[in-house]
Amino acid sequence: MAGRLKDKVVIVTGAGRGIGEATARAMAAEGAAIVVAEKDALSGKSVAASLVEAGARALFVETDVADIASCKAMAEQALATFGRIDVLVANAGINVFHEPLETTEEEWRRCFAVDLDGVWYSARAVLPAMRAQTQGSIVAIASCHSFAIIPSTFPYPVAKHGLLGLVRSLGVQYAAEGVRVNAIAPGYIETQIAVDYWNTFPDPQAERQRTYDLHPPRRIGRPEEVAMTAVFLGSDEAPFINAACIVITNEVSHRRPVAGNVFKQKGLPPAGIDIEEETMKRMIRTWLAVAATAAVALTVHGAGAQDKMKFGYINKMGDHPWFVREVKGAKDKAAELGVDLLVQDVQFDANLAVTTFDTYVGDGVKGIAVVVPDRSLGPVVADKAKAAKIGLIAVDDDIAFADGTPVAYVGMNALNIGKQVGGEIARIVKAEGWDKDLSKVRVGSIEDQKADTCMRRNKGAEEALVAAIPEIKSRIVSIPYDNTMVNSIDVVSTTLTANPDTEKWIFYSCNDDGVLGGVRATENAGMKPENVIGIGIDGSRSCEAFGSGKPRGFRGTMWLDSAKHGAAAIQALYDQATGKEMQKDYFQDATLISGENFAKFKDTLGCKS
């Protein structure tokens, strides 16, 4: 039935992950042009880029649904690019759970700003175009909380009940003009948030199965199943369905949990929590205890669990190969040492990072390893750890206390690894004779200028390269980017256009994504791989770069086994908790991986055949 949305233009809010991402992909597969409306630029751009790579038409628009001007701009960009708007999937949402009298004014406003106002602002922005076309479908992602009232989840169900009123009001009002407005109410859905929760247990698979067993089919819902329903409602197959709500819970999510005072005591969220998130910003303290029922949550730890040493690990970009391996290394080391490890991916959400940190402290951890989403958080979390008298170690990005004292650090010596990159580039340049005539050569320093560690890596690369080939300094151009491959492709493409006489390009950056993005830009421009030299850092894109065996301008990468970073962090925390003094730095060595020696590392890197 492919082509059910052929020639339709669909806007999906909160499309960077979870249900939103699944819906964007499902609708693109049915022939729709997709507007990825997402507040988090990193995830939004990534989804849009992958849709384009798969052959779909897609546009990323940075959108804050709580801002009416942002929603208006979203609709305007969709119309300017595609000429019409046929479907809106209003998916972006957040969870705010409290007892009513403990809910602050700010929390009340924040919940309604996204979960109710955000849907109205999005709908209001697209309705004029839909009415002019006399055709359109709006699908709002509601929740099982739109029907069930569960103690200590206030004010979330209030907003979700209001959402159904909004859907029915708009559906009735504009039915005669060809616009349909419906809702989908999911229950417990298996998104990355659920996986992150299961991973906080010593046996994640066992906890996953316990959750499954609460549901009649012995599993929970999948984002793709919500997406299938959204496709149906957005297509021409549902012309007479309007002002309605389709519930996707398999009944279990409507069961009333144990009394509300249990939630107050344990800080647990309710049964059937829905995960229709934009990025699940600023979750409250119950974030790490997403349980299907209070009964499950209260029995997850066996007898004696209170006596087991426990550490916390806060990371970002949890789906990136680097951090996937880093967290695995931390978990493996924790298992080896016989300690519990709580893990939370906060993406780039500073507020969620602080909330998670406080939650870990409240849960009695002996120490926390943190990959800060923003280095300005360093003094905040460092001083919190000091006040709580627990261990703290920074991973990948160094941080300091408010007085400037460095926090113990696991990672690379940024300047030195940059020098390794510059030295390897200089070796290749000389071996291939580029240094004989640099007039047609340029060096692209692809820089995340907001990240101090990144800039130190680039500085080291430049110093080593210029030391080896002094005259190359005048050929270096700075290319700022936002630390994503998609943006690297964009900014390097612009740089190539601005330098049409350059025949050979050299790239270095703070990671593989920056360099591989630059190389891809040259490939898109038709440059031959022998005219490009790029050396990355971290090795996370080795499988992609060298797996095909074909020549590429991506000549190598200084591989840092991120699993060693995670393991070293947990070992350091354990040593401190058992009476040993923590070192100032735990630097990890880098290894050059290239097309020539890739086979040696293929299995270790987890490359697929």
Side-chain angles (χ1 to χ4, degrees), residues 202 304-311 334-335 337-341 364 366:
Q306 294 179 355
D307 299 325
K308 201 171 185 181
M309 191 179 295
K310 181 164 45 179
F311 297 115
L337 296 172
V339 301
D340 282 344
L341 183 65
K366 296 296 184 181

Side-chain angles (χ1 to χ4, degrees), residues 579-594:
K580 297 180 182 178
E581 186 175 352
M582 189 177 284
Q583 299 173 203
K584 178 182 177 183
D585 299 304
Y586 297 81
F587 289 134
Q588 306 300 305
D589 296 329
T591 301
L592 176 66
I593 296 179
S594 65

Side-chain angles (χ1 to χ4, degrees), residues 7 59 69 72 94 179 212 251 257 260 275 290 311 369 412 471 486 506 547 581:
D7 298 327
L59 168 71
K72 183 179 179 181
I94 59 173
V179 179
Y212 285 178
E251 289 303 317
I275 319 287
V290 182
F311 297 115
M412 69 184 81
E471 57 272 26
V486 172
I506 296 168
E581 186 175 352

